[in-house]
Amino acid sequence: MSIDLSIIIPCYNEEESLPLLKKLLLEFKEKTALKFELVFVDDGSKDRTNELLHSLFTEFSPVTVIKNPTNLNL
């Protein structure tokens, strides 16, 4: 599958906002003919962000979740 667009989404404690993001991305998917991939970068979330990323975005392919174990917010 050829990818037209890569969407990279940084995440940090986004448990509450992920359902809304999913809704918006599904609307985008319905309105576009672009083949796109989602790349989530979880920057050391302390909530259920990582767990939800793996369960909420099953309708999208490909999806990559990169887990950064430490937040380097300097």
Side-chain angles (χ1 to χ4, degrees):
M1 175 169 116
S2 174
I3 302 295
D4 299 316
L5 177 66
S6 295
I7 302 173
I8 302 170
I9 304 167
C11 300
Y12 181 71
N13 294 337
E14 303 296 339
E15 177 179 355
E16 292 182 17
S17 64
L18 290 176
L20 176 58
L21 176 62
K22 177 183 177 177
K23 178 182 179 284
L24 294 171
L25 288 170
L26 283 171
E27 289 173 6
F28 174 73
K29 183 178 179 181
E30 290 175 8
K31 293 178 182 178
T32 185
L34 294 173
K35 292 180 177 76
F36 62 92
E37 67 175 337
L38 299 176
V39 179
F40 293 97
V41 180
D42 181 359
D43 193 18
S45 295
K46 306 291 187 228
D47 62 1
R48 295 177 49 234
T49 295
N50 193 274
E51 175 187 334
L52 291 174
L53 288 173
H54 289 284
S55 64
L56 279 179
F57 294 90
T58 57
E59 293 91 339
F60 299 92
S61 182
V63 174
T64 302
V65 177
I66 300 169
K67 176 91 170 133
N68 180 8
T70 58
N71 184 328
L72 300 177
N73 189 6
L74 303 174

